[in-house]
Amino acid sequence: MVFIDALQLLKLNEIPEDWVEAVWDLEFTQRVPLDDAIEEQLAANGEKAFRLLHQYFLAQAAEQQPSDGSDGASQNIWVILGENGVSVKSLVAMLSYFVLVGKSKVANVQKRVNALQSASLYLLLLKIPGSIINQVFHEVLMDTCMNLTSHCWPQDSGKKRKKDGLKCSQGDGKRSKPERKNHSEMEVDEAEDEDDEEIHFSGQDLMKIRDAVALLVQSLLRLLQTFALKDRPHSVNNCAQIFSKLLYFEPVIGKLTFNAAQDIAKLKSVPEMAFYGLQLLCSPKHGDQKESLRRVFYHLLFVILMMEKASRKPTLLLPSQAILATRDHAIQFVCHLVNELKELAQPFRQILLQHICFKMVEKSEYRNHGAQAVGMLTSQMESADYACFVKWLCNFSRHSKMVNRLFSVDVVMVLLEQPERSSDECNNPDLVCFLSHAFLIQNLLFARRKDESPTVQGHAFNCLAQCLELHSLNATRAVHSLFCATGTQMVFEGETTEGIVSLQTTQKTYRTLPFRTVELSNNSNTGCDAKENLALLLHSIKDPKINVRKAALQALVGLLKHGVIPMSAENLASLSERCRDPAVSVKKKALQCVGELLAAKPEYRLVQMAWMKGVFPVMLDSETSVQDKALEAMEQTLLSQVKSYSASCHLDANQRLAWDLLGLLCDECRNLSRYFSKAFTIWSKQNKFTPTFITHLISHIDSDHVAGAWLLLSKVVASSPRVPYSKILDAWDTMISSGSVNGTTCTHILCVIGDIAKNLNGESKDRIVADLMSWLKTFTSLEVICAAVETLYQLGCSEDIKQTQAFMNRHCGELVTVCEDYLAKILLTENGTQNLNEKLMIKHLHTLGVASLNCPARVSKRMVLLVVSVLTAHSDRLAECQEELPASLPLSQFKANSLPTSIRAHGVLTLGKLCLQHEELAQKYLPVFARELEVGTEVAIRNNVVVIMGDLCVRYTNIVDVYIPNISACLRDDEAVVRENTLITLTNLLQEEFVKWKGSLFFRFMVALVDPVPAIARLCEYCLIHSLLNKNPEMFSQHFIECIFHFNSYSKHKVYNKFPQTEREKVRFSLKGEQHREKRFQIYRFLLEHFTDAQRFNIYNKISQTILTCFADEELPLDADGAEILSETFNILTLKEMKLQAMSASAGGATAEEGEEENMATMAKAIMQAAQKKVVSQVQKKTFIQNIVPLIISLKHLLEQKRSPVLRDLMAYLQVTMQDYRNEVKEFFAGDEQLATEVEFALKKAEERDMLEQMESCSLVQDGKTAGSVQGSPARLRSCLPFTFCTPQPPRPKPASLRLVHTERRVTRSREEQPGASKSISLEATVMSKGAQNNRAISTPKGGNINVTFGEVSAIFNDQSSSIGGETSVQPNEQRTSGPRQWKVQSPLRQKKRI
């Protein structure tokens, strides 16, 4: 008989009974050694015996179902064993022996195969009726057999599994305690004491093990079909865990089918068997179906999240194709179970979705896959269930954890891709509003526009732009309603946009996260204000965070492209301005955005101008990559569109756009031409201008866009190898004969003629020179005059300088003579000014100035006096020409003449050009110019004088240097245009070092920082930071202390504020007084913000030595002015900008709002900051004790003696300074115990005041519904429930202590002081950190970090059973910190009274 033969091969009769008893006594946890001879026989006969037994057990299993209630043939096994004297215990012990041998890490292939076959036989034996009565079942052995699927399969050739996965970013970074090992991990194998050896298996070996694993899984499935595990929850949970691991065992070929009844023998792949096993576990015979579904969904959760549930923290699996396929199969299986079990499984699908959201990590790849999983699961939902999930997601989107809010945005985008559900499909009227796409966009997505996290805020803006690309018409309408004032304003209950509603989280790491449905409440509403939304978007474009600016740019472009917001100049200016953003990535993004907008709306003139204003200035950017991007855009848009033209050809859209842009460049955007020239300089080096390109370009000079063609020719002719000169000369003749060409085109034609002049023959040159002279004598537009004179110079230029100068003297001298005669006719004849042509007079003056620069020898004294007479009324003196004007007489002191201001302003410019060529004229008229700046009343004249004196400073630096105070005084001119030009002129002179920072120049620059015109203030800030500070990094720190004395007009110090100034200048630049206090401190903050830590440290000590010491030693009197200086000094020392960055920067771990990727990138920096902070703190403390404290004590006594009000400022300074040393007050002020007591008392009182204010805020919040409260939290039942796999819901913390409230308030203040930081705060989310018992309290105003890990599972609750009032704190006693340190300090006044 087969069964008897197999038993004989196993030598069961030869096995000692003591050995069998020992195996059973050890509960199959350890391998008991057998006799060597028996082991050899078993090794030789084991494979054959297992094959025979397997065939027999399968045959018995097929006959195990009796038809008449009797045991039937299935009893034969136990009878045969008894008849042959073989005990069941011996058979089970022998099978366990093979199982334990093959479980070893160093087991060879045959041992592993034998172990798997033995385990399969044991499971088949359990399937045979009578196994329970004959005591075959043993839970430990059964679990061990099932776990062989992972123990016997080689894991990465013996390498550690820890190296495979990526750590889950959901962890909070705390060190967790080692968990207890389960029974399957308690076996002690002899091989475990040895070093792990890497055993390499061949492909054939792996196939043998794989077939044995498949055989074992099939046996397990057969067992589950008949063997009930209803009373064995541990075994059921173990089976679910094993099946979830087997899903990754091998790839599945073909399509999976999840039928309720399947032939196990036909299941080919192990994952297919595993899914069938999970389905079997959900049957009623294995326990309550709800518990089974919860258990199965719990294990599938990690498959969907692409995580491996490790003993401590989940680890991320690399998203390979196999992992993604397994994830998709798991989602399909979940949908199958829901379709099969209907109402029974639907609540668990809802809970599974919630856990996917809560368990999600920050990595974008995993978030995208997770959102797709949510979309696949929700697509199968009924409308009512879908609405419930969206309602939950709305509250989840305001969770205190950043990654949760971030993932909610991803989920919204996936849900928007699904077809919108009809309101008729939902019977519950309260849930209808959650079905529309408008709700998802307005109440979930757009609500994140004000998120406190820049990552979430930027992601929301990016997704908002993507919404306009969706096929859903309602989604597009929803976006329109957000920004269009005429759109439908949709207001949904339960939305907030002002901040993040905390879900009452704590910093404690939750070991278990229940799988239970809980509703999250909210208490605020919002509407959609189109103007506010657009203003917020435009403001976000200037956000301090780079990713927010980039995302806002993308959103703005999307809105403009789809016509949601108007193509206004303001909106387009915001876009083009970002092309000059300080961040390189933002500049590149802005260039991309303006390019997208131009491609989408090429016909809009404003868009064309915005593109040029954004792209062209970038050509001067310091970043090469940005230049290259702009250059590429210009080449594709302009240069590559120049093609051959004929009257019969048709220009395509791109060509029309190119010529429209060139036309704008010749008209409204002429100021961008200098940036355009930079591009051509680069292109010429790259040989872009081929003869073919020039030929195509010249073909356009007779077209409608002739202006753009000449513009391009003027840029490229100079660097072109071959140019058809004849066509250019023909165009010149046409222009001269017609005279109808506009000034800009004339200028470009003249530029082309000048560039080709060296290649023209003498005859052509003479003809052109004659044309130019006759043209100049007609006095055309001003810009043409300059270009014509420059072309005249290029035509007459030769290698002989004398010959060139003679040519210019002849022709330009002729122009000077013509202008001189015209001026004499107007100024020296009676009634000459009555019929004055103002424009012609200006052209003559301009021509005279331009021509005189090229022929200084032809400038006569009479000509100079004629120009001066334009500015004065003494024409009678000029007629006599007997004496010259006194040099000290300012222009404005002459009797006003009848000439218009515009003529006088051009006369000043002409006089300045004459001075540039004659040093004696410059020396003579510089005092006149300087005086004009002081007393002149005409804005245009003062403005031109500033420009003239700047040019003269370059030419005659030493002469003009004495007049720099007169120029800088114009920084406080009454007219903004004069102040702006003065600022630009001085910046250029300082940059080129024609002017030095001497006297009051620096302080006058500082006053420009607080100019009443914001544009001038920003310009001054830009000039100082980006142009001047780079040349002199010590500039700010060198002048800081003197700023205190200068702006307060204090001159009693023996060193500072001693430079000469007139009384008029002192009054003009004084910022003294309480009314100017904010302006002074704005300057102080600006300077300190751009200090290095070394400069801050030095300036702190220098202030104490030069200011505090002088008052303490009474070198400076403590009068009213002195008290103001001392008070202001203490206020400066308390500024947050004065604090060292190394001390204020966070050197600790990552905050709750930071992602894991960012944390890993900044880990080394954080460590360095921590070390630096420690060293700097020690040095600062030592310096403070040695240098500052004695001065403070001395000053305090002096101020008390004088009864000065500055004492309040001193105490306020100490209160702020000692915040970081509150426990060392007595040590610092050991020399003055009274002062130490007063400082401690002041600190205590300040703390109490902050606490009271915070408590008042808390009471205001608690009067209504508590923000972020959790309704129906089942926290009370968690300890008594057997299964804790429920909706993630941390319990509500206990009320914070007073110290916590105060700490939280300090954190809130620091956040409010940071630009762009959110001002919202959830008071109830304040918690204590884990290490708070050793250090002072640390608060997390926006909620703690939840470690969503699952170690247990509990029963599910419906809405009614989960609404249980009351919540308990989860912090254990050892983690609860004691209250704040009690201040044992009394008021110094009370102490004095007692004495």
Side-chain angles (χ1 to χ4, degrees):
M1 190 175 180
V2 177
F3 184 51
I4 300 301
D5 295 340
L7 295 178
Q8 291 176 355
L9 291 174
L10 291 177
K11 306 295 181 181
L12 293 178
N13 292 327
E14 301 178 11
I15 296 176
E17 294 184 2
D18 294 341
W19 182 86
V20 175
E21 293 297 332
V23 172
W24 279 83
D25 291 341
L26 290 174
E27 300 284 341
F28 306 102
T29 57
Q30 297 183 20
R31 179 168 62 90
V32 180
L34 273 172
D35 185 76
D36 295 340
I38 298 177
E39 285 188 2
E40 293 178 1
Q41 294 178 3
L42 291 175
N45 303 330
E47 184 177 1
K48 181 178 180 181
F50 294 147
R51 184 172 64 253
L52 295 175
L53 285 176
H54 191 270
Q55 294 174 358
Y56 182 77
F57 286 170
L58 283 180
Q60 290 294 315
E63 302 174 1
Q64 70 178 353
Q65 296 295 339
S67 59
D68 55 355
S70 61
D71 291 340
S74 62
Q75 293 288 340
N76 292 337
I77 292 180
W78 317 113
V79 173
I80 293 172
L81 289 174
E83 292 176 352
N84 289 273
V86 178
S87 67
V88 177
K89 281 190 172 184
S90 299
L91 178 59
V92 174
M94 181 56 65
L95 294 176
S96 70
Y97 173 79
F98 283 100
V99 169
L100 295 176
V101 168
K103 185 183 176 182
S104 172
K105 294 181 180 179
V106 294
N108 57 23
V109 176
Q110 190 58 47
K111 290 181 180 179
R112 296 181 185 228
V113 172
N114 290 341
L116 291 167
Q117 291 177 346
S118 299
S120 177
L121 291 175
Y122 177 73
L123 296 179
L124 289 177
L125 189 62
L126 283 177
K127 177 181 173 63
I128 300 175
S131 59
I132 302 298
I133 298 176
N134 290 278
Q135 299 180 352
V136 175
F137 177 79
H138 194 284
E139 189 173 6
V140 174
L141 180 57
M142 181 180 176
D143 291 343
T144 304
C145 291
M146 291 188 296
N147 287 327
L148 280 183
T149 55
S150 59
H151 290 157
C152 291
W153 183 256
Q155 300 291 339
D156 298 331
S157 300
K159 292 183 180 179
K160 300 285 186 180
R161 293 278 307 202
K162 294 180 181 178
K163 297 181 181 180
D164 298 341
L166 302 173
K167 283 190 177 180
C168 174
S169 65
Q170 290 292 101
D172 61 349
K174 298 181 181 178
R175 185 176 299 173
S176 59
K177 297 180 181 178
E179 297 182 357
R180 292 186 178 180
K181 294 184 178 180
N182 54 28
H183 293 290
S184 62
E185 297 175 345
M186 294 178 62
E187 296 90 4
V188 180
D189 198 310
E190 295 177 358
E192 291 179 356
D193 297 334
E194 303 174 359
D195 294 336
D196 292 339
E197 302 177 3
E198 291 191 8
I199 300 179
H200 300 280
F201 298 94
S202 65
Q204 187 177 3
D205 294 339
L206 292 175
M207 284 302 300
K208 290 181 180 179
I209 299 175
R210 183 265 170 202
D211 292 339
V213 169
L215 188 66
L216 175 58
V217 176
Q218 288 179 350
S219 300
L220 180 58
L221 295 179
R222 291 188 173 95
L223 175 65
L224 293 176
Q225 283 180 334
T226 57
F227 191 83
L229 299 177
K230 188 173 184 178
D231 299 328
R232 299 175 177 87
H234 176 75
S235 297
V236 176
N237 189 46
N238 195 21
C239 286
Q241 183 177 359
I242 290 170
F243 286 137
S244 64
K245 290 181 179 179
L246 289 175
L247 298 178
Y248 301 105
F249 188 80
E250 61 185 0
V252 178
I253 300 175
K255 185 177 180 181
L256 280 179
T257 57
F258 309 107
N259 297 328
Q262 298 191 40
D263 187 358
I264 297 176
K266 294 182 179 180
L267 298 176
K268 302 300 182 182
S269 64
V270 175
E272 194 172 1
M273 301 175 192
F275 278 119
Y276 183 56
L278 291 173
Q279 190 170 357
L280 290 175
L281 290 178
C282 296
S283 61
K285 70 174 61 178
H286 298 301
D288 182 27
Q289 281 189 287
K290 290 184 178 181
E291 292 297 323
S292 300
L293 283 170
R294 185 195 307 276
R295 194 177 287 113
V296 170
F297 280 27
Y298 162 71
H299 289 288
L300 291 177
L301 168 68
F302 294 94
V303 179
I304 295 174
L305 292 173
M306 296 185 294
M307 293 181 182
E308 182 180 17
K309 187 177 182 300
S311 58
R312 293 185 179 180
K313 291 182 181 179
T315 56
L316 295 176
L317 300 175
L318 294 177
S320 62
Q321 186 176 0
I323 297 296
L324 292 174
T326 303
R327 180 198 69 118
D328 294 339
H329 293 153
I331 297 173
Q332 295 171 9
F333 179 69
V334 171
C335 295
H336 168 74
L337 287 180
V338 175
N339 292 334
E340 289 291 326
L341 301 178
K342 303 298 181 183
E343 290 81 4
L344 191 64
Q346 288 174 0
F348 297 97
R349 176 179 57 186
Q350 197 87 354
I351 296 173
L352 178 64
L353 288 170
Q354 295 173 3
H355 272 269
I356 292 174
C357 295
F358 261 94
K359 194 67 178 177
M360 187 49 58
V361 297
E362 188 184 354
K363 298 179 184 296
S364 60
E365 187 175 9
Y366 290 87
R367 284 192 290 106
N368 293 335
H369 291 307
Q372 292 297 330
V374 173
M376 295 170 66
L377 291 172
T378 54
S379 62
Q380 305 295 328
M381 280 184 165
E382 298 292 336
S383 294
D385 294 336
Y386 174 83
C388 290
F389 173 72
V390 173
K391 180 179 179 181
W392 180 90
L393 183 67
C394 181
N395 297 318
F396 174 77
S397 67
R398 293 185 292 274
H399 191 268
S400 60
K401 202 169 187 179
M402 182 271 291
V403 65
N404 293 342
R405 304 194 301 275
L406 189 66
F407 183 64
S408 68
V409 177
D410 294 315
V411 173
V412 167
M413 293 306 299
V414 172
L415 296 181
L416 287 173
E417 294 176 359
Q418 299 178 4
E420 187 172 22
R421 298 173 184 256
S422 173
S423 58
D424 298 335
E425 300 175 1
C426 183
N427 297 327
N428 190 344
D430 296 335
L431 297 177
V432 170
C433 63
F434 298 101
L435 297 177
S436 65
H437 283 176
F439 180 86
L440 293 174
I441 292 176
Q442 295 177 348
N443 290 56
L444 276 81
L445 175 60
F446 195 64
R448 294 300 101 226
R449 71 194 184 280
K450 292 184 179 180
D451 197 279
E452 67 172 357
S453 170
T455 304
V456 180
Q457 192 178 352
H459 192 45
F461 280 125
N462 276 327
C463 293
L464 182 67
Q466 297 174 17
C467 289
L468 294 169
E469 307 293 339
L470 297 175
H471 298 293
S472 173
L473 180 60
N474 289 335
T476 306
R477 288 175 179 172
V479 178
H480 274 265
S481 66
L482 290 172
F483 294 94
C484 297
T486 58
T488 303
Q489 299 291 323
M490 303 181 68
V491 182
F492 296 95
E493 183 178 0
E495 173 58 18
T496 178
T497 58
E498 295 301 326
I500 309 305
V501 178
S502 173
L503 296 185
Q504 311 306 323
T505 61
T506 69
Q507 283 186 324
K508 179 176 172 57
T509 301
Y510 291 97
R511 289 287 181 185
T512 61
L513 194 61
F515 192 26
R516 185 178 299 121
T517 303
V518 181
E519 292 189 9
L520 309 178
S521 68
N522 55 76
N523 66 333
S524 57
N525 303 329
T526 185
C528 302
D529 190 333
K531 292 183 179 179
E532 290 183 2
N533 292 339
L534 180 57
L536 176 65
L537 179 61
L538 296 177
H539 177 73
S540 299
I541 292 178
K542 303 177 182 179
D543 192 89
K545 297 297 182 179
I546 292 176
N547 59 336
V548 176
R549 299 202 297 272
K550 292 168 62 177
L553 282 172
Q554 189 63 53
L556 180 62
V557 169
L559 296 175
L560 290 170
K561 283 167 56 177
H562 293 83
V564 179
I565 59 177
M567 292 282 184
S568 64
E570 179 186 2
N571 296 338
L572 294 172
S574 300
L575 188 61
S576 57
E577 284 175 2
R578 287 303 98 195
C579 294
R580 299 183 295 278
D581 193 274
V584 174
S585 60
V586 179
K587 283 187 280 195
K588 292 181 179 180
K589 183 65 176 180
L591 289 173
Q592 175 189 340
C593 289
V594 293
E596 290 180 8
L597 187 60
L598 182 66
K601 304 289 183 181
E603 68 280 0
Y604 282 81
R605 192 174 183 86
L606 288 176
V607 175
Q608 297 171 359
M609 295 175 63
W611 182 82
M612 288 193 295
K613 291 178 180 178
V615 175
F616 282 21
V618 177
M619 289 307 306
L620 300 181
D621 195 90
S622 58
E623 181 64 31
T624 306
S625 61
V626 178
Q627 284 187 15
D628 294 340
K629 192 172 183 67
L631 196 68
E632 180 183 0
M634 294 169 64
E635 182 178 357
Q636 292 178 355
T637 308
L638 297 174
L639 209 62
S640 62
Q641 303 304 324
V642 177
K643 301 174 183 178
S644 181
Y645 175 81
S646 63
S648 59
C649 73
H650 175 71
L651 298 178
D652 59 25
N654 292 331
Q655 290 177 340
R656 286 198 303 272
L657 173 62
W659 292 111
D660 288 345
L661 291 172
L662 291 171
L664 281 175
L665 202 59
C666 297
D667 186 14
E668 299 179 42
C669 300
R670 283 179 292 178
N671 58 327
L672 300 176
S673 180
R674 62 180 183 275
Y675 306 117
F676 201 38
S677 302
K678 173 69 174 179
F680 281 92
T681 303
I682 299 175
W683 284 331
S684 63
K685 297 178 182 178
Q686 300 173 353
N687 298 323
K688 296 284 185 181
F689 311 129
T690 61
T692 304
F693 175 83
I694 299 298
T695 303
H696 291 168
L697 186 57
I698 290 180
S699 66
H700 289 267
I701 61 178
D702 296 327
S703 63
D704 296 336
H705 38 270
V706 59
W710 281 110
L711 170 64
L712 288 181
L713 276 174
S714 66
K715 306 292 184 184
V716 305
V717 165
S719 56
S720 299
R722 287 183 297 173
V723 179
Y725 304 118
S726 58
K727 292 186 177 181
I728 296 177
L729 293 177
D730 291 342
W732 167 262
D733 295 336
T734 302
M735 183 193 71
I736 292 297
S737 60
S738 64
S740 59
V741 183
N742 62 33
T744 303
T745 304
C746 288
T747 303
H748 295 150
I749 295 175
L750 288 169
C751 182
V752 173
I753 295 296
D755 290 335
I756 67 174
K758 59 184 178 182
N759 299 316
L760 298 178
N761 55 34
E763 182 182 355
S764 298
K765 286 184 179 181
D766 294 341
R767 179 167 57 86
I768 295 175
V769 168
D771 293 338
L772 275 177
M773 291 301 298
S774 60
W775 195 19
L776 283 171
K777 291 177 183 178
T778 60
F779 298 97
T780 59
S781 63
L782 300 183
E783 58 179 344
V784 174
I785 292 174
C786 293
V789 173
E790 177 64 23
T791 304
L792 187 65
Y793 170 78
Q794 290 175 313
L795 289 169
C797 186
S798 63
E799 296 181 357
D800 188 356
I801 299 177
K802 294 183 178 179
Q803 185 178 352
T804 303
Q805 188 60 54
F807 176 86
M808 297 305 295
N809 287 337
R810 183 170 65 255
H811 293 89
C812 289
E814 184 178 350
L815 292 175
V816 168
T817 302
V818 173
C819 294
E820 181 180 355
D821 295 340
Y822 178 82
L823 293 178
K825 178 181 177 182
I826 297 296
L827 299 174
L828 300 181
T829 59
E830 295 183 2
N831 303 323
T833 60
Q834 291 182 358
N835 298 322
L836 177 66
N837 187 334
E838 181 178 347
K839 292 184 178 179
L840 186 60
M841 181 73 170
I842 291 175
K843 291 176 182 179
H844 277 84
L845 286 171
H846 183 71
T847 304
L848 176 60
V850 173
S852 64
L853 292 175
N854 292 279
C855 57
R858 298 295 301 269
V859 177
S860 63
K861 185 180 299 185
R862 180 173 181 268
M863 183 185 302
V864 174
L865 294 177
L866 283 172
V867 174
V868 172
S869 68
V870 173
L871 310 174
T872 64
H874 290 267
S875 58
D876 52 341
R877 293 190 182 183
L878 292 172
E880 299 174 1
C881 292
Q882 294 180 354
E883 58 180 350
E884 298 178 0
L885 295 174
S888 60
L889 194 62
L891 306 181
S892 58
Q893 287 185 350
F894 285 99
K895 183 178 178 182
N897 57 28
S898 59
L899 295 177
T901 302
S902 58
I903 294 178
R904 292 163 55 82
H906 279 83
V908 170
L909 290 176
T910 303
L911 181 59
K913 291 174 183 177
L914 296 175
C915 293
L916 283 173
Q917 294 293 339
H918 300 84
E919 184 176 353
E920 65 278 4
L921 288 179
Q923 292 178 341
K924 180 178 182 180
Y925 289 105
L926 268 174
V928 179
F929 292 147
R931 184 63 178 165
E932 181 66 21
L933 292 178
E934 295 182 11
V935 299
T937 58
E938 294 174 319
V939 178
I941 294 178
R942 294 203 309 275
N943 185 70
N944 289 350
V945 168
V946 170
V947 176
I948 291 169
M949 295 188 73
D951 292 341
L952 291 175
C953 184
V954 175
R955 184 68 182 270
Y956 312 112
T957 305
N958 295 330
I959 299 175
V960 183
D961 186 67
V962 69
Y963 299 104
I964 294 300
N966 301 85
I967 302 175
S968 62
C970 294
L971 290 171
R972 294 289 279 179
D973 195 275
D974 296 334
E975 297 296 330
V977 64
V978 178
R979 299 199 299 272
E980 182 179 2
N981 280 328
T982 303
L983 184 61
I984 295 173
T985 301
L986 289 175
T987 300
N988 291 332
L989 294 175
L990 287 166
Q991 209 170 5
E992 300 298 329
E993 296 187 358
F994 292 108
V995 173
K996 302 293 185 182
W997 291 109
K998 295 188 302 183
S1000 60
L1001 181 59
F1002 178 84
F1003 310 104
R1004 296 182 178 183
F1005 250 88
M1006 291 299 104
V1007 172
L1009 283 172
V1010 292
D1011 193 277
V1013 179
I1016 297 178
R1018 290 194 300 269
L1019 176 62
C1020 178
E1021 183 176 341
Y1022 176 84
C1023 294
L1024 286 170
I1025 297 174
H1026 299 284
S1027 299
L1028 302 177
L1029 186 61
N1030 294 332
K1031 296 183 68 68
N1032 187 5
E1034 302 294 328
M1035 175 177 66
F1036 288 173
S1037 59
Q1038 289 173 350
H1039 295 86
F1040 184 81
I1041 293 180
E1042 194 158 10
C1043 283
I1044 302 175
F1045 294 104
H1046 178 76
F1047 294 135
N1048 285 278
S1049 302
Y1050 189 84
S1051 57
K1052 297 180 182 179
H1053 197 281
K1054 59 183 178 181
V1055 176
Y1056 296 110
N1057 202 23
K1058 295 297 183 181
F1059 41 80
Q1061 288 187 99
T1062 63
E1063 289 299 323
R1064 182 174 178 271
E1065 291 174 340
K1066 288 181 180 180
V1067 173
R1068 205 171 195 180
F1069 287 91
S1070 175
L1071 295 178
K1072 182 179 181 180
E1074 187 64 25
Q1075 68 275 17
H1076 298 302
R1077 184 181 186 278
E1078 184 59 34
K1079 292 182 179 179
R1080 295 197 303 272
F1081 276 84
Q1082 183 178 343
I1083 295 173
Y1084 299 148
R1085 291 190 184 95
F1086 171 81
L1087 295 175
L1088 290 172
E1089 284 174 355
H1090 297 90
F1091 275 22
T1092 63
D1093 269 355
Q1095 291 173 341
R1096 288 189 181 91
F1097 185 81
N1098 292 332
I1099 206 67
Y1100 198 101
N1101 294 327
K1102 197 171 182 181
I1103 287 176
S1104 65
Q1105 296 171 5
T1106 57
I1107 299 180
L1108 301 183
T1109 302
C1110 290
F1111 282 105
D1113 296 342
E1114 299 190 44
E1115 293 180 8
L1116 295 176
L1118 199 59
D1119 52 10
D1121 293 338
E1124 290 181 3
I1125 291 293
L1126 187 57
S1127 174
E1128 187 144 315
T1129 302
F1130 284 129
N1131 290 329
I1132 291 172
L1133 294 176
T1134 58
L1135 292 175
K1136 68 171 185 176
E1137 290 82 4
M1138 182 65 79
K1139 190 173 183 179
L1140 302 183
Q1141 291 182 353
M1143 297 292 294
S1144 58
S1146 175
T1151 63
E1153 291 302 327
E1154 294 178 344
E1156 182 186 8
E1157 296 178 0
E1158 184 179 354
N1159 298 342
M1160 296 301 296
T1162 58
M1163 185 65 69
K1165 182 179 179 181
I1167 296 174
M1168 292 298 296
Q1169 284 180 346
Q1172 183 183 12
K1173 181 176 180 179
K1174 185 176 180 180
V1175 174
V1176 172
S1177 177
Q1178 293 175 352
V1179 174
Q1180 189 180 35
K1181 177 181 175 181
K1182 181 179 179 182
T1183 304
F1184 186 79
I1185 294 176
Q1186 293 179 352
N1187 301 334
I1188 308 298
V1189 170
L1191 285 175
I1192 296 300
I1193 295 175
S1194 177
L1195 277 173
K1196 180 179 178 294
H1197 294 162
L1198 178 63
L1199 295 174
E1200 287 178 342
Q1201 181 182 357
K1202 301 283 188 179
R1203 296 186 178 182
S1204 173
V1206 184
L1207 187 60
R1208 290 194 301 270
D1209 300 299
L1210 185 146
M1211 295 303 297
Y1213 157 71
L1214 288 178
Q1215 178 182 334
V1216 173
T1217 305
M1218 298 306 296
Q1219 286 287 346
D1220 296 331
Y1221 308 102
R1222 60 174 62 238
N1223 297 328
E1224 303 172 81
V1225 174
K1226 293 188 180 296
E1227 176 186 351
F1228 275 49
F1229 298 99
D1232 193 334
E1233 295 182 359
Q1234 177 67 19
L1235 179 57
T1237 304
E1238 292 179 5
V1239 172
E1240 285 190 334
F1241 181 78
L1243 290 172
K1244 175 189 174 184
K1245 287 298 183 183
E1247 191 170 293
E1248 290 178 352
R1249 285 194 302 270
D1250 292 342
M1251 177 268 295
L1252 290 175
E1253 294 177 5
Q1254 190 76 352
M1255 293 302 292
E1256 291 176 359
S1257 301
C1258 290
S1259 63
L1260 292 176
V1261 173
Q1262 293 171 357
D1263 287 341
K1265 291 183 179 180
T1266 304
S1269 63
V1270 182
Q1271 295 179 352
S1273 174
R1276 285 187 175 181
L1277 298 183
R1278 290 183 181 172
S1279 59
C1280 61
L1281 291 175
F1283 204 71
T1284 56
F1285 184 33
C1286 66
T1287 298
Q1289 183 54 48
R1292 184 176 180 178
K1294 289 185 177 181
S1297 63
L1298 301 183
R1299 180 64 176 273
L1300 291 177
V1301 175
H1302 172 63
T1303 307
E1304 182 173 289
R1305 179 170 181 80
R1306 282 204 307 273
V1307 175
T1308 306
R1309 283 182 175 177
S1310 64
R1311 289 193 177 186
E1312 290 176 348
E1313 290 173 352
Q1314 297 175 357
S1318 174
K1319 292 181 171 57
S1320 62
I1321 181 169
S1322 177
L1323 300 176
E1324 296 179 357
T1326 305
V1327 294
M1328 291 290 289
S1329 68
K1330 186 173 181 179
Q1333 61 269 28
N1334 297 325
N1335 303 315
R1336 66 185 183 90
I1338 301 175
S1339 63
T1340 54
K1342 293 301 174 185
N1345 190 8
I1346 306 175
N1347 185 16
V1348 190
T1349 56
F1350 302 88
E1352 302 175 359
V1353 278
S1354 70
I1356 186 169
F1357 290 87
N1358 54 25
D1359 293 340
Q1360 288 77 15
S1361 61
S1362 64
S1363 299
I1364 301 173
E1367 296 170 344
T1368 58
S1369 174
V1370 297
Q1371 290 187 349
N1373 294 331
E1374 62 269 20
Q1375 288 188 354
R1376 294 177 184 171
T1377 59
S1378 59
R1381 180 172 65 89
Q1382 298 297 325
W1383 294 85
K1384 296 181 180 181
V1385 182
Q1386 293 182 352
S1387 171
L1389 297 178
R1390 293 183 180 178
Q1391 291 181 355
K1392 290 181 179 180
K1393 289 181 180 179
R1394 290 182 179 180
I1395 295 175

